[in-house]
Amino acid sequence: PAILYRQDAIGGGDVKLLAGMGALLQPRLGLEAEMYSFFAAGLIAPAFLAYEGKLFRTLRNTVLLAVNPLLPKSKRRAVEPALLTWFRFGPAIFIGMVVTTYLHWRS
């Protein structure tokens, strides 16, 4: 999460929440909950973007961000910061925590 924070992919509150969750659940279950959180975000984010009508524009920007470093400087396209979309990661973290708790409740 700290690497994602340094790349402006997630916010500082998300990093603190994931760190607190890891401290509460210990390393093994903390990483498992984090994994489920990222899986949940991978399912929720496209549905949310489709609902808002931003899915295809966001996919286009994602491809541009991934391909631009590979292109020569003369062919690179600029991605306007206003076109970038943000997503609240807290609900996905909650889902990851609930799934992990459910799977390990009796053990």
Side-chain angles (χ1 to χ4, degrees), residues 8 19 59 91:
D8 289 328
L59 289 175

Side-chain angles (χ1 to χ4, degrees), residues 70-100:
L70 304 175
L71 296 174
K73 288 185 179 182
S74 61
K75 294 192 177 196
R76 291 183 187 172
R77 292 186 188 173
V79 177
E80 298 176 29
L83 295 178
L84 297 176
T85 303
W86 62 272
F87 170 73
R88 293 192 187 272
F89 193 45
I93 294 173
F94 176 73
I95 291 171
M97 182 81 156
V98 167
V99 169
T100 303

